[in-house]
Amino acid sequence: MLTATPSTLEVVDPGPLSTVQDLGRTGYAHLGVSPSGAADPESLRLANRLVGNPAGTPALECTLGGLSLRFTAARWVALAGAPASALVDGRPVVDPRRFRVPAGRVLHLGRPSIGLRSYLAVGGGFLVRRVLGGAGHDVLAGHGPAPLRPGDELAIGPDRPQPAAPIELANSRCPSGLATLRFGWGPRHELFDAADRERFTTTRWRISTESNRIGVRLLGEPLRIGEVRLASEGMVPGAIQVPPSGEPIAFLADHPVTGGYPVIGVLTEPDIGLLAQAPPGTAIRFRSIPGTDAPAPTPHR
Amino acid sequence: MRQCPPESNGPRLLRAGDRGWLVELPPGRSAALAASVRQQPWAGQVAEVVPASRTVLVTAMHPNMTNALGTALAGMLRDSAQHPTPTWQPRTIRIPVRYDGPDLEDVAEAVGLRPDEVAERHCSVRHVVGFFGFAPGFAYIDGLPEVLALPRRSSPRTRIEAGCVAIAGNQSVVYPGGTPGGWHLIGRTEQRMWDPQGDPPNRLEVGDHVVFQAVSPC
């Protein structure tokens, strides 16, 4: 069968970290495979919708801007997540949420004014070899398409007609100032005493520079739970785990699938994306969802 | 130091986020429950089933299914308590190993045995796959004889080849390839235990019995 050679985008400069991401790998957690995919999945969905792609089409996750791409073919482009300025051959794009880049031009993303990760979707999507069903790079496992490097040629799908999604929809949540993140207690909140639980929700935590797609380290008055002998157990994205140091770690897309420290609570799904957009130094506080601290029912035997 | 969960605990359902339930179980029951969840008529609505030594994490494909999933799991636990007929049987996986790893001599010296005796002890028991973690395909295999128990190496190696068989604490592992590792390398197997391009990618499942078999170097 003859297939046309796909069009490509050439990476001129990847910026600090740019990776291909989608909506993650599902169904392999029991084999040690993290979900991975976009750290802020809602923004990836939005970028795809704005160019008329299916929601989980592979797109680029660009951390702290700085990405430059040369287009060998014209495409619709959408930016969502951390709002970054866009230049095409050095000229500012009026509305970078969605725009057309002609063939032969170079698109450059500026550093976002707020937030951390910008999502760049192109009409037709990025064509990459999938690993375990996912198109995303996993920084913990090291699998999936490698982070972008200068000179990479990224294959893209066929051009799509002018997208119909109204641009007014395009608003991404990024924290500015003190961010409040909602969470549900559990599965191991019962291991923490009342003082620790109180401390957890009243402390103004600060995001450490030791944070990445795996998780976010929080700095603040440590909880006092200390060491607990807990058999390793499955963890979900958004799990807030408390190691013996007492300073919590909130897990993002590339989190380890099992862990041996107690998880005091789990972020609501929308707020996992919000945390993924909080740069180091951001102040955050946790607010519990009412009713989630009820004791676990025991099935009647 | 507190031990959690207590050995005596019966099954409990603990909420784990918008989509998840952590089912806490008495020892030795997680693999059977995980297998049972995968056979339910509603299994198509389940995203992940992650068995570990005392728990099974079950997550829903969509947050609006989570409450129904909890009800279904509670029903399963009640039924299994009333009719304890185990339908699930562990498989036995035999792994041929050449015991010539770079740490074999050191291990032998540390535990006061000869290298061939280390291999013999490693092969003399039935091991059980406890859980996967750390990296894709990294299966923690329980059941290492007490006499071979050693803490991890003080300096981990940066990259371990696929098929290296290693021990630490009361566990063994067959490295999936490409990961760093601080366990003691005692041998190698030629069999692929993990292949990300394979379908399925894994030879081992949680709950499988594992028997290591010494093969002579050719």
Side-chain angles (χ1 to χ4, degrees):
Chain A
M1 192 179 85
L2 286 175
T3 51
T5 309
S7 305
T8 57
L9 303 186
E10 186 201 335
V11 179
V12 179
D13 184 345
L17 175 67
S18 297
T19 57
V20 177
Q21 295 297 344
D22 60 359
L23 292 176
R25 300 175 172 86
T26 300
Y28 293 105
H30 63 296
L31 302 177
V33 179
S34 310
S36 198
D40 173 7
E42 276 316 302
S43 294
L44 178 123
R45 278 199 184 89
L46 174 60
N48 275 319
R49 191 165 59 175
L50 291 172
V51 292
N53 290 339
T57 303
L60 299 182
E61 177 180 284
C62 179
T63 304
L64 292 171
L67 172 69
S68 294
L69 298 170
R70 181 176 287 109
F71 283 61
T72 60
R75 286 293 183 277
W76 286 99
V77 173
L79 286 175
S85 60
L87 302 172
V88 173
D89 276 359
R91 290 206 189 94
V93 173
V94 177
D95 189 346
R97 291 176 297 178
R98 180 171 67 211
F99 52 102
R100 182 89 176 157
V101 178
R105 304 287 168 85
V106 173
L107 165 66
H108 175 78
L109 299 193
R111 191 186 167 108
S113 46
I114 56 167
L116 188 57
R117 295 173 167 101
S118 309
Y119 291 85
L120 184 153
V122 300
F126 289 85
L127 309 177
V128 295
R129 186 157 162 254
R130 289 174 179 266
V131 175
L132 296 162
H137 173 73
D138 179 333
V139 304
L140 180 67
H143 61 204
L148 272 46
R149 287 163 310 218
D152 282 354
E153 301 274 341
L154 309 173
I156 52 175
D159 196 14
R160 287 177 168 269
Q162 173 148 11
I167 201 142
E168 299 76 68
L169 295 173
N171 284 312
S172 301
R173 286 169 79 215
C174 285
S176 56
L178 176 69
T180 300
L181 302 175
R182 292 161 305 159
F183 75 97
W185 291 106
R188 295 295 178 193
H189 61 295
E190 291 170 349
L191 298 178
F192 295 80
D193 63 20
D196 254 356
R197 285 192 238 174
E198 167 102 4
R199 208 170 284 123
F200 179 68
T201 51
T202 54
T203 298
R204 279 202 181 195
W205 301 98
R206 194 163 287 283
I207 294 181
S208 150
T209 52
E210 274 183 80
S211 300
N212 56 21
R213 289 178 39 85
I214 299 169
V216 171
R217 240 177 234 286
L218 300 166
L219 307 173
E221 175 70 28
L223 306 189
R224 299 192 185 144
I225 183 165
E227 186 118 14
V228 179
R229 279 189 57 184
L230 180 70
S232 269
E233 58 193 23
M235 281 201 305
V236 293
I240 305 159
Q241 187 191 60
V242 183
S245 73
E247 290 189 312
I249 298 167
F251 284 111
L252 298 177
D254 294 351
H255 70 91
V257 293
T258 50
Y261 299 129
V263 170
I264 190 170
V266 180
L267 293 172
T268 63
E269 281 186 23
D271 287 6
I272 299 172
L274 188 62
L275 177 64
Q277 292 293 6
T282 306
I284 61 169
R285 75 178 160 211
F286 294 110
R287 198 171 70 214
S288 66
I289 297 166
T292 54
D293 55 351
T298 301
H300 299 292
R301 271 167 287 155
Chain B
M1 196 156 69
R2 275 177 295 172
Q3 169 74 42
C4 177
E7 291 283 323
S8 57
N9 265 23
R12 289 200 307 164
L13 273 179
L14 308 169
R15 187 68 188 250
D18 288 354
R19 299 183 198 214
W21 295 97
L22 189 69
V23 186
E24 196 176 77
L25 295 158
R29 287 188 39 193
S30 62
L33 180 79
S36 179
V37 168
R38 292 181 187 281
Q39 290 161 1
Q40 297 297 318
W42 39 262
Q45 296 172 24
V46 170
E48 303 283 2
V49 183
V50 186
S53 64
R54 296 294 313 277
T55 55
V56 181
L57 173 69
V58 186
T59 64
M61 284 299 285
H62 196 277
N64 66 15
M65 302 172 185
T66 312
N67 287 339
L69 177 62
T71 306
L73 289 169
M76 276 180 72
L77 294 172
R78 269 197 306 274
D79 293 350
S80 69
Q82 283 159 11
H83 320 284
T85 47
T87 50
W88 179 84
Q89 287 297 329
R91 306 178 300 172
T92 296
I93 309 289
R94 298 182 187 283
I95 304 179
V97 179
R98 223 174 42 222
Y99 286 92
D100 58 358
D103 298 334
L104 184 65
E105 299 271 348
D106 292 349
V107 168
E109 190 172 338
V111 301
L113 295 171
R114 293 193 316 267
D116 62 302
E117 290 173 320
V118 170
E120 189 193 321
R121 300 293 172 97
H122 195 238
C123 295
S124 67
V125 293
R126 190 171 282 264
H127 306 250
V128 181
V129 179
F131 68 99
F132 281 77
F134 178 60
F138 193 101
Y140 290 82
I141 305 170
D142 297 321
L144 188 72
E146 192 62 42
V147 63
L148 300 180
L150 287 174
R152 293 176 193 195
R153 287 165 50 91
S154 47
S155 56
R157 293 178 171 94
T158 51
R159 196 170 182 284
I160 313 270
E161 294 296 314
C164 288
V165 177
I167 58 174
N170 59 351
Q171 291 170 314
S172 306
V173 67
V174 180
Y175 276 98
T179 67
W183 297 36
H184 306 273
L185 307 180
I186 59 172
R188 294 188 56 84
T189 180
E190 295 301 322
Q191 291 199 356
R192 285 299 290 274
M193 306 310 286
W194 175 251
D195 175 11
Q197 304 304 328
D199 183 20
N202 57 307
R203 278 264 338 266
L204 296 177
E205 292 264 12
V206 170
D208 281 349
H209 289 179
V210 172
V211 175
F212 294 102
Q213 293 177 310
V215 295
S216 323
C218 310

